[in-house]
Amino acid sequence: YNATTRIATFTQAVNFEPNTVYTATVTNGITDRAGNALVPSATANPWSFTIGDTTLVCQVPVPLRSLASFAVTAGAGLTISDVPDPNPALMSISGDIGLAPDGTCTRCTPEFLGLNGTLYQNDPAGVAARAKADLVLAIGDARGRPQRADSGNGVLDGRTLTPGVYTAAAAMSLSSDSVLTLDALGDTSAVWVFQVGSDLSFGDRARLQALRGAQAKNVFWVVDGNLLIGRNAALGGSFFVNGGITSDNGARIVGRLLANNGAVSLRRNFVEIE
């Protein structure tokens, strides 16, 4: 009890448990200096409060290590699926490309690809191999985050999600013309981790919308299967994919497309690191 502020403070001996209701009871054992007992008032006595889901807060970004400069990596080669175009910016990658152990790169020439970065392909310094090793570490970190129960059975259509970890034991998807909204609640450091047990797919024109401080650099997708991106989709985040990645015409990704074991196939896409 602080006699100056007239505030009594009770400190719990152990941490509160998440998703738990606690009740505080103030009895007539409390009296004023004259010995008059506390009289019940309009304020509830006892009163209760609920501790929230602690998986929604205090998530830190997944460490990227050497992946920080990479927009695309592939374990089984990269293919630019298009015909030559007088404006290579129509197929644009802003960031490095790392190909290991398979250094195959089909149509990775200026007439097919506008690259603002470095292509590491069979590089003797092992830069691409190091990036792949760091991708394995990132996959393990993202996959190991504590799961959140309410993940909507993997269907993301029309949902608004606050920061936290969202898990689908099987596939996860955002249908054509659907919007997934990420609401940071005013916290520009808010982090989302999506754990996908199978394939992750985005339909044509599927879109991620950021609200109240959400940033693509703080969104992480870890995919056990393949990543499929439809035409003109607008997405964000770092995609850590164990399988392969296929992106259709016109899709734009603010973030990274990182395939561990599979191939990457792109067609007139914009991929840029935030």
Side-chain angles (χ1 to χ4, degrees):
Y1 177 72
N2 186 313
T4 301
T5 62
R6 298 183 180 180
I7 295 175
T9 302
F10 170 77
T11 303
Q12 173 112 325
V14 296
N15 290 334
F16 289 113
E17 294 294 328
N19 301 309
T20 302
V21 177
Y22 287 86
T23 300
T25 302
V26 181
T27 72
N28 288 344
I30 294 180
T31 66
D32 62 17
R33 290 180 178 178
N36 299 309
L38 179 69
V39 178
S41 65
T43 303
N45 177 25
W47 55 274
S48 299
F49 58 93
T50 303
I51 301 299
D53 185 347
T54 57
T55 64
L56 302 182
V57 296
C58 299
Q59 291 289 329
V60 297
V62 176
L64 295 173
R65 300 177 175 86
S66 68
L67 288 171
S69 68
F70 283 84
V72 175
T73 66
L78 169 63
T79 298
I80 306 300
S81 301
D82 214 339
V83 296
D85 192 284
N87 180 12
L90 289 174
M91 176 62 244
S92 175
I93 295 178
S94 295
D96 296 336
I97 298 174
L99 307 178
D102 185 345
T104 302
C105 198
T106 304
R107 303 188 186 92
C108 294
T109 53
E111 64 268 29
F112 294 97
L113 169 65
L115 175 60
N116 181 19
T118 302
L119 171 61
Y120 294 98
Q121 175 188 18
N122 300 317
D123 59 299
V127 176
R130 183 164 60 253
K132 181 178 179 182
D134 287 338
L135 176 55
V136 173
L137 294 176
I139 288 173
D141 183 294
R143 172 56 66 193
R145 300 289 175 103
Q147 300 178 3
R148 172 180 171 149
D150 179 18
S151 297
N153 296 320
V155 178
L156 301 174
D157 299 7
R159 302 190 68 192
T160 297
L161 301 180
T162 53
V165 179
Y166 296 86
T167 305
M172 186 176 283
S173 64
L174 182 63
S175 301
S176 295
D177 299 303
S178 295
V179 177
L180 168 63
T181 301
L182 304 182
D183 187 350
L185 305 173
D187 180 5
T188 57
S189 299
V191 171
W192 289 260
V193 176
F194 295 88
Q195 301 168 334
V196 187
S198 182
D199 294 343
L200 171 62
S201 61
F202 297 92
D204 295 346
R205 299 169 300 281
R207 182 166 59 92
L208 264 64
Q209 176 176 266
L211 286 183
R212 295 192 281 182
Q215 299 187 67
K217 67 179 182 180
N218 292 327
V219 180
F220 303 92
W221 309 78
V222 55
V223 184
D224 288 350
N226 300 309
L227 171 61
L228 308 172
I229 302 174
R231 288 174 175 263
N232 299 313
L235 309 175
S238 294
F239 293 85
F240 308 137
V241 182
N242 268 312
I245 299 173
T246 302
S247 183
D248 208 342
N249 191 31
R252 185 183 188 108
I253 296 90
V254 179
R256 299 170 175 82
L257 299 177
L258 308 172
N260 183 27
N261 298 310
V264 175
S265 178
L266 305 177
R267 180 181 174 86
R268 290 178 181 257
N269 302 131
F270 293 85
V271 185
E272 54 187 339
I273 299 172
E274 186 178 37

